[in-house]
Amino acid sequence: MLTYKKRRRQFFVAWKPMAKFFAVIVAIGLAADLKANADSKSTEPGGAASPFDFVDLPSSPAREGYVTLSWEPYEAASRYEVVDGGGKVIHSGVFPQAFISGLSDGEYRYRVRAVNASGEILVQSASTATIEVSHWPAIYVWPLLGVGFFVVAAVVFVIVAGERWASTEEMSR
């Protein structure tokens, strides 16, 4: 019969080649990601950095009436501005992300631009972020609201009943 140490050693000896195989696969995947990332941040002819753009756009349609827009940071920017389809600045901030809320049903288009300290536009996003907002239909909302009400009422009932039970139990002692 094999002892615990011998079984453990046999297990690791058997898995050692497999671990090397997975390490090589992971290293190849990381190298490919780094190369793709370096290729995407290459410069355009003339030495100018390629324009920044939105990343991780929210799924369509947005059901809750808010979205978070993120974009590639631009090194020379002191702030960013998110502009709607009509040219109105709806967000201005120093981080490469904007949270936009209070959206009613419809389609919205946004661009982001990097601005320097003197207010000059350095670069604008290459593409437009198109966001479709379509709130949940009432047929889903009202039943869920009813279930939520029932859960809150049940919790309140349990708290009140537990308090009464504890006080009557205390009085009987």
Side-chain angles (χ1 to χ4, degrees):
M1 184 166 156
L2 294 174
T3 64
Y4 172 74
K5 287 184 180 179
K6 287 182 182 177
R7 282 185 289 161
R8 185 172 172 222
R9 189 176 324 123
Q10 284 180 347
F11 175 79
F12 285 113
V13 168
W15 281 96
K16 194 172 186 178
M18 189 63 81
K20 286 182 181 179
F21 173 75
F22 284 123
V24 169
I25 296 298
V26 168
I28 290 171
L30 288 175
D33 286 346
L34 289 174
K35 182 176 178 352
N37 204 7
D39 289 344
S40 69
K41 294 191 178 193
S42 63
T43 58
E44 295 177 347
S50 62
F52 69 112
D53 211 356
F54 291 102
V55 294
D56 299 329
L57 286 175
S59 62
S60 192
R63 294 286 192 181
E64 290 80 19
Y66 62 84
V67 293
T68 300
L69 299 174
S70 302
W71 53 87
E72 294 289 334
Y74 192 75
E75 288 184 31
S78 61
R79 66 184 165 93
Y80 301 99
E81 294 178 344
V82 177
V83 182
D84 67 4
K88 179 181 172 190
V89 176
I90 60 165
H91 172 80
S92 180
V94 296
F95 296 110
Q97 190 174 45
F99 180 78
I100 303 167
S101 63
L103 302 174
S104 56
D105 286 354
E107 189 173 273
Y108 299 88
R109 298 181 190 282
Y110 300 107
R111 284 194 176 272
V112 63
R113 55 189 184 199
V115 180
N116 65 12
S118 60
E120 297 171 357
I121 298 172
L122 300 173
V123 67
Q124 186 167 310
S125 60
S127 65
T128 302
T130 303
I131 308 296
E132 179 188 346
V133 177
S134 177
H135 289 86
W136 291 103
I139 195 165
Y140 297 126
V141 173
W142 289 110
L144 289 174
L145 188 63
V147 168
F149 176 76
F150 176 75
V151 168
V152 169
V155 167
V156 169
F157 174 77
V158 167
I159 290 171
V160 170
E163 178 62 30
R164 286 186 180 174
W165 176 79
S167 64
T168 56
E169 190 71 27
E170 194 173 286
M171 288 181 160
S172 65
R173 290 185 190 176

